[in-house]
């Protein structure tokens, strides 16, 4: 009975996450009320407040849930690779998987960077984002060690360039509604461009 009850509780919690992510992504944080979220899920306010004491707590829990998604994708697409270029390719296809499998959560996550939120939410975002940037920096250092990046390259600017491209693809997908933004053909074009203009060929250097 406890297992059944726990499963039902987890299902309700996830449905609240899904509904809130879609509403926040479509209308913004300020314009979405607890009542609207409850109506979308099909539960009463006391049920939602059983899981989350207020909207800010809901947003914080959604950030942590989305971060779990990001970490799982990173593990499957990036961390399992040993070659630097394959890790970079994994960043592209990991982003594709994220935006296509969890579109509302991705848009929710992106909005957190663009719109005003509470101090507690901003602090949570910073706490979770800094380790991701450090991990990305470590990948670029690995690229230097494997000979794909020049020893004197500005890694911070290189990181911004790559992230800017990923965010640009996401904008094309969700803002301009370009369905081919994350097509395999387009991702290969991006990868080829990066390989030609941003990275070195270790074999030629040798």
């Amino acid at each position: 009975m406890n297992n059944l009850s726990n499963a039902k509780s987890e299902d309700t919690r996830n449905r609240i996450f899904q509904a809130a992510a879609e509403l926040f992504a479509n209308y913004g944080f300020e314009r979405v009320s607890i009542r609207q979220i409850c109506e979308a899920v099909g539960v009463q306010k006391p049920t939602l407040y059983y899981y989350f004491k207020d909207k800010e707590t809901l947003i914080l829990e959604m950030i942590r849930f989305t971060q779990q998604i990001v970490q799982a994708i990173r593990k499957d697409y990036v961390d399992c690779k040993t070659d630097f270029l394959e890790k970079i390719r994994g960043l592209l296809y990991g982003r594709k998987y994220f935006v296509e499998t969890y579109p509302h959560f991705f848009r929710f996550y992106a909005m957190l960077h663009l719109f005003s939120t509470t101090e507690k939410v901003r602090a949570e975002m910073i706490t979770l984002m800094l380790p991701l940037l450090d991990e990305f920096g470590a990948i670029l250092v690995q690229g230097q060690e494997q000979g794909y990046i020049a020893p004197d390259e500005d890694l911070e600017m290189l990181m911004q360039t790559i992230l800017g491209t990923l965010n640009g693809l996401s904008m094309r997908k969700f803002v301009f509604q370009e369905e081919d933004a994350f097509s395999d053909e387009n991702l290969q074009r991006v990868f080829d461009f990066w390989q030609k203009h941003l990275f070195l060929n270790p074999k030629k250097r040798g």
Side-chain angles (χ1 to χ4, degrees):
M1 182 65 70
N2 282 340
N3 288 339
L4 182 62
S5 177
N6 290 339
K8 183 177 180 180
S9 177
E10 188 68 18
D11 176 69
T12 301
R13 192 169 183 270
N14 287 338
R15 287 192 296 116
I16 292 172
F17 279 163
Q18 290 281 355
E22 182 172 2
L23 288 168
F24 288 146
N26 289 335
Y27 304 108
F29 304 118
E30 296 299 327
R31 294 177 60 187
V32 175
S33 67
I34 290 294
R35 177 184 59 80
Q36 288 173 300
I37 296 172
C38 290
E39 289 176 353
V41 181
V43 299
Q44 299 297 315
K45 283 186 179 181
T47 300
L48 188 143
Y49 285 127
Y50 172 79
Y51 296 96
F52 315 102
K53 69 177 183 179
D54 51 33
K55 189 163 72 171
E56 181 183 64
T57 302
L58 170 60
I59 292 173
L60 289 170
E61 288 299 317
M62 288 176 64
I63 291 172
R64 293 163 190 149
F65 181 78
T66 308
Q67 192 71 5
Q68 291 175 10
I69 294 173
V70 171
Q71 292 287 13
I73 293 172
R74 181 186 175 87
K75 181 179 179 181
D76 290 341
Y77 283 85
V78 180
D79 294 346
C80 60
K81 312 295 184 182
T82 56
D83 180 72
F84 168 74
L85 286 183
E86 288 307 307
K87 286 181 179 287
I88 293 297
R89 188 191 298 273
L91 288 173
L92 276 171
Y93 284 88
R95 176 66 68 95
K96 172 186 171 75
Y97 181 80
F98 191 7
V99 301
E100 292 184 350
T101 308
Y102 304 96
H104 300 312
F105 282 98
F106 179 82
R107 290 173 62 200
F108 159 76
Y109 202 60
M111 287 177 66
L112 290 168
H113 297 80
L114 301 175
F115 297 96
S116 60
T117 54
T118 66
E119 187 62 37
K120 187 177 291 187
V121 170
R122 284 194 295 273
E124 182 71 13
M125 283 295 295
I126 292 171
T127 298
L128 294 175
M129 285 299 298
L130 288 179
L132 288 177
L133 293 176
D134 289 341
E135 291 170 8
F136 192 6
I139 292 174
L140 297 181
V141 170
Q142 180 182 349
Q144 285 183 320
E145 294 171 349
Q146 293 183 2
Y148 290 106
I149 300 174
D152 60 347
E153 184 65 83
D154 187 332
L155 297 186
E156 183 177 348
M157 288 303 300
L158 183 57
M159 182 188 301
Q160 291 180 23
T161 299
I162 295 171
L163 290 176
T165 302
L166 290 172
N167 293 336
L169 290 172
S170 304
M171 182 175 293
R172 286 174 55 188
K173 171 74 172 178
F174 291 110
V175 177
F176 299 108
Q177 302 293 310
E178 294 184 18
E179 292 302 319
D180 65 341
F182 281 95
S183 67
D184 289 342
E185 180 182 1
N186 196 47
L187 293 188
Q188 187 61 49
R189 286 178 60 212
V190 172
F191 181 76
D192 290 343
F193 181 88
W194 283 352
Q195 191 170 7
K196 180 178 179 181
H197 296 285
L198 299 184
F199 308 128
L200 305 173
N201 187 328
K203 293 180 180 179
K204 287 186 178 180
R205 292 184 71 214

